[in-house]
Structures are given as structure tokens and as C-alpha cells.
Amino acid sequence: MASETKSVLTGGCQCGAVRFAVSGAPAKISICHCRMCQKASGAPFASFADIEHADFAWTRGTPAAFKSSSIAMRDFCAACGTPLSYRLIDGPRIEIMTGAFDRPDRIVPTRQYGTESRLGWVVGIANLPSQTTMQNYGPEKLGTIVSHQHPDHD
Ligand SMILES: [Zn+2]
Ligand SMILES: [Zn+2]
């Protein structure tokens, strides 16, 4: 309905120099295990929400970009290094890395790509011994740490 207020999803890099807003539902949310996404994210796999360019805006700062292939760019914060997005050059959408959203719990992937490079242990992580950050550091040590991470809101 045209009168309905569009929900806005926001996010940004770790330092807060780059922020973005999304005004439409992602067309697709997926994980990519491909070797290029492993390198670009510095992680075992990457996860992306595909957003139409018309529904997306950088609202603070401008990311730097690396042309990772002849067809694609990957945007990142030049100040803190956070990987932010993947986009086909002149494509209709931008794919935002889901960990960069302020509420990543709302961005749930529904399919996987690049599985030729999927690391064998990934499917078993739910069975690894687990601790919260508080359990890992303890309250005394955790209380002395000053975060320089931008908060999960504008
Ligand atoms: Zn940053
Ligand atoms: Zn990939």
C-alpha cells in the first residue's frame, strides 16, 4: 500500500564513517562460500542482502572500492576496513554484507552459493564448545575494555 510507511534497515562500518539505509525488503539474502568472498570478507564465508539501488543510500561517508573482477566491485570503509558490499558494475542491485546491518538478526539467509569452496567444518559449528563474550573474558576484564565501535544506530 502506498500509504504504508516503508521500513528502513540501517547499518554501517565498524568505525561509523560509512553508514547506509535500506528502504525496501531485500530481494534475496544468501551466504557465499566462494574463494573471492572468503578473501574479501577475511572470513570463512560471506553473507549478503541484495538491495535494489533505488532502495539503497549511503547516508554518511563514501566507501572505497576494489574492482575484484572484470564484472564486480567490492566496497569497504577506507578508515576501518570493514567490508560492506558487493555489486556488479552497472548492475541493478547492491549486495550488502549482513554483518554490517544494525540488526543482523533480521537479515536471515535462505540459500548458499559458491559451495565448491565451502570449508568442510562450517556445517559443524553448532556443535563446537560455546561461550558468551562475558564467559570468555569475565566481568572484571570486560569492564575495563573501551569499545571504539560505532553503536548499532545512527
Ligand atoms: Zn569505518
Ligand atoms: Zn562469493
Side-chain angles (χ1 to χ4, degrees):
M1 285 168 62
S3 61
E4 220 173 279
T5 305
K6 274 184 162 182
S7 67
V8 176
L9 298 166
T10 56
C13 67
Q14 191 169 26
C15 79
V18 178
R19 298 281 298 163
F20 61 81
V22 172
S23 58
K28 183 180 66 182
I29 303 170
S30 61
I31 284 169
C32 189
H33 299 274
C34 89
R35 187 65 188 125
M36 295 187 87
C37 286
Q38 289 173 346
K39 277 284 192 182
S41 64
F45 56 84
S47 56
F48 298 99
D50 295 19
I51 314 292
E52 300 288 335
H53 279 298
D55 292 333
F56 179 83
W58 300 111
T59 54
R60 185 190 306 156
T62 305
F66 174 62
K67 189 175 183 180
S68 58
S69 77
S70 58
I71 63 165
M73 304 290 290
R74 291 176 188 262
D75 302 301
F76 61 96
C77 175
C80 72
T82 301
L84 291 167
S85 59
Y86 168 93
R87 57 190 161 85
L88 293 176
I89 296 166
D90 300 325
R93 295 178 188 149
I94 185 166
E95 302 188 21
I96 301 297
M97 299 196 73
T98 65
F101 282 89
D102 292 331
R103 291 292 306 269
D105 57 307
R106 293 181 179 172
I107 316 294
V108 181
T110 56
R111 57 183 309 149
Q112 306 178 60
Y113 295 104
T115 53
E116 71 283 351
S117 300
R118 185 171 58 196
L119 302 174
W121 54 262
V122 167
V123 295
I125 61 170
N127 299 319
L128 296 176
S130 302
Q131 287 187 311
T132 65
T133 305
M134 181 65 82
Q135 289 167 337
N136 186 23
Y137 281 81
E140 283 183 26
K141 186 174 181 187
L142 202 55
T144 67
I145 297 171
V146 178
S147 172
H148 295 160
Q149 178 162 294
H150 186 272
D152 283 326
H153 54 78
D154 284 317

